[in-house]
């Protein structure tokens, strides 16, 4: 008996109602999770000026009737930071626009394109905040030349290193941080490489407490918690790839710091599309440019930061 088919294969397919969007990594340096970020950078500003006020002179013990009192005064200076513009664009051709119109997803695809452009600009801002922009002579959060850098041989990944050794290492570094700032500043955060983060996540003996938990608990003072953060931008491979370290250094970076606007900050003008006058059409393609302006990380209290380079896992 002859048989036929009454259904095409595509008739029997069901499409999910929502488009699946790939998940991307967090951008902690751009999101204000490492350095305070303000989104009030004024349009058109080319440079940011920070006025710095300090005192000059000291009081002395004086006797009754003294007229020659020691003089104290104020010293006002300023730091200057260049404003950078980060740009990216979305585009489509004449035929692509017609195809999207035919498919009925022109608005949806344009929104996805805009989100992609916004993401690419955020990624670049994050990189500038972390490493600076070497071709412009600008440094970032992880490579400021004025911050104390400790080149340590302490190997967290050695089989002979105990959890107590790890704690003592952190304790010593925090103590040096404190005394190095004349006991003015104590760090409340530390970023560590991915491998080191998981090394610190091992349990202390048969307890439910990890090395990381113990360090955080012991270094938290007067109700102010000390937190250790996993930070892939502190990995040796990325430090070398971005010129923070020379090739073959093979060391991850620990950074001790406090998140506060008076310690370090950056300013951002949110991403926006340029006015339509700047949209270009060439050879059947429309190009829509987007931009965002940003400052480098502005370090206001250099003693409030400390870098420690330690051997990476092998």
């Amino acid at each position: 008996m002859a048989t036929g088919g009454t259904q095409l294969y595509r008739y029997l397919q069901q499409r999910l109602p929502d488009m699946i969007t790939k998940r991307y990594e967090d951008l902690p340096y751009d999101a204000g999770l490492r350095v305070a970020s303000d989104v009030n950078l004024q349009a058109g500003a080319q440079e940011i000026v920070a006025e710095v006020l300090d005192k000059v002179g000291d009081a002395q013990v004086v006797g009754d009737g003294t007229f020659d009192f020691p003089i104290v005064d104020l010293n006002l200076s300023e730091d200057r930071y260049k404003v950078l513009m980060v740009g990216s664009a979305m585009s489509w051709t004449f035929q692509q626009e017609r195809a999207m119109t035919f498919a009925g997803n022109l608005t949806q695809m344009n929104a996805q394109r805009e989100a992609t452009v916004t993401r690419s600009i955020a990624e670049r801002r994050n990189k500038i905040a972390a490493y600076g922009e070497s071709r412009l002579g600008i440094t970032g959060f992880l490579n400021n030349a004025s911050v104390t850098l400790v080149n340590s041989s302490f190997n967290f990944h050695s089989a002979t290193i105990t959890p107590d050794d790890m704690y003592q290492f952190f304790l010593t570094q925090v103590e040096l941080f404190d005394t190095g700032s004349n006991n003015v500043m104590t760090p409340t955060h530390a970023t560590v490489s991915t491998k080191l983060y998981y090394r610190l996540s091992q349990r202390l003996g048969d307890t439910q407490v990890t090395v990381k938990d113990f360090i955080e608990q012991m270094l938290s003072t007067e109700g102010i918690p000390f937190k250790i953060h996993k930070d892939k931008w502190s990995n040796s491979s990325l430090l070398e790839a971005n010129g923070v370290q020379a090739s073959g250094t093979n060391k991850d970076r620990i950074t001790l710091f406090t998140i506060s606007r008076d310690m370090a900050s950056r300013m951002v003008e949110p991403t926006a599309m340029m006015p339509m006058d700047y949209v270009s059409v060439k050879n059947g393609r429309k190009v829509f440019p987007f931009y965002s302006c940003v400052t480098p990380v502005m370090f206001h209290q250099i003693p409030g930061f400390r870098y420690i380079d330690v051997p990476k896992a092998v």
Side-chain angles (χ1 to χ4, degrees):
M1 181 176 71
T3 60
T6 59
Q7 301 295 326
L8 295 176
Y9 183 71
R10 61 186 174 88
Y11 292 170
L12 305 178
Q13 293 176 322
Q14 178 179 349
R15 189 173 69 179
L16 292 175
D18 299 319
M19 184 179 295
I20 306 300
T21 303
K22 182 180 177 181
R23 297 186 65 178
Y24 299 99
E25 64 194 2
D26 293 334
L27 303 174
Y29 292 90
D30 189 51
L33 300 178
R34 299 289 183 268
V35 57
S37 298
D38 291 323
V39 290
N40 58 356
L41 179 60
Q42 295 183 12
Q46 301 296 301
E47 189 177 58
I48 296 299
V49 179
E51 296 181 348
V52 181
L53 189 64
D54 197 4
K55 75 175 184 70
V56 177
D58 293 294
Q60 299 291 340
V61 176
V62 297
D64 184 32
T66 299
F67 63 89
D68 188 16
F69 276 78
I71 302 297
V72 296
D73 205 345
L74 300 175
N75 182 53
L76 184 63
S77 61
E78 61 183 26
D79 295 329
R80 295 175 176 270
Y81 303 91
K82 185 178 179 60
V83 175
L84 309 175
M85 185 170 74
V86 180
S88 187
M90 66 178 187
S91 74
W92 54 79
T93 65
F94 171 69
Q95 279 291 70
Q96 285 175 333
E97 184 170 2
R98 296 203 325 152
M100 290 185 293
T101 301
F102 175 80
N105 62 4
L106 177 62
T107 300
Q108 180 186 21
M109 296 311 296
N110 283 350
Q112 291 295 329
R113 278 193 172 94
E114 184 172 343
T116 301
V117 171
T118 300
R119 170 72 191 190
S120 71
I121 290 176
E123 288 175 348
R124 190 67 188 189
R125 288 196 312 243
N126 188 81
K127 186 176 181 180
I128 291 171
Y131 306 125
E133 189 67 39
S134 59
R135 64 188 180 87
L136 299 177
I138 294 172
T139 57
F141 186 84
L142 293 172
N143 61 339
N144 186 291
S146 298
V147 172
T148 297
L149 170 61
V150 178
N151 188 17
S152 175
S153 60
F154 184 86
N155 190 349
F156 282 88
H157 307 284
S158 170
T160 62
I161 295 297
T162 67
D164 187 62
D165 293 333
M166 298 181 195
Y167 163 67
Q168 289 296 331
F169 177 85
F170 267 91
L171 178 64
T172 298
Q173 293 303 322
V174 170
E175 179 184 358
L176 291 172
F177 181 109
D178 201 341
T179 56
S181 68
N182 198 27
N183 296 104
V184 173
M185 303 171 191
T186 300
T188 57
H189 296 270
T191 51
V192 300
S193 67
T194 305
K195 290 283 190 181
L196 179 51
Y197 182 86
Y198 287 108
R199 173 69 168 153
L200 295 173
S201 297
Q202 65 180 343
R203 291 189 302 170
L204 283 169
D206 295 328
T207 72
Q208 297 302 311
V209 178
T210 67
V211 178
K212 171 181 169 294
D213 293 336
F214 183 69
I215 292 172
E216 290 178 336
Q217 177 184 349
M218 297 302 292
L219 294 181
S220 296
T221 59
E222 299 178 359
I224 302 175
F226 181 86
K227 299 294 293 181
I228 298 175
H229 307 276
K230 179 178 64 176
D231 189 78
K232 75 169 229 178
W233 291 270
S234 299
N235 292 356
S236 169
S237 58
L238 286 178
L239 294 173
E240 293 183 17
N242 287 279
V244 177
Q245 296 174 341
S247 178
T249 300
N250 295 326
K251 287 197 169 184
D252 295 332
R253 178 157 293 181
I254 300 171
T255 303
L256 301 176
F257 62 101
T258 295
I259 302 174
S260 174
R261 281 179 172 79
D262 70 333
M263 301 293 285
S265 64
R266 58 193 284 272
M267 300 181 72
V268 179
E269 183 182 356
T271 302
M273 191 179 83
M274 289 185 178
M276 290 302 295
D277 290 346
Y278 296 91
V279 173
S280 63
V281 180
K282 184 177 181 181
N283 298 331
R285 177 182 291 275
K286 289 182 180 178
V287 178
F288 296 82
F290 285 70
Y291 72 97
S292 172
C293 291
V294 64
T295 67
V297 173
M298 301 178 287
F299 284 80
H300 309 307
Q301 311 280 354
I302 288 294
F305 299 85
R306 189 178 185 88
Y307 303 139
I308 307 106
D309 285 356
V310 293
K312 71 175 186 178
V314 293

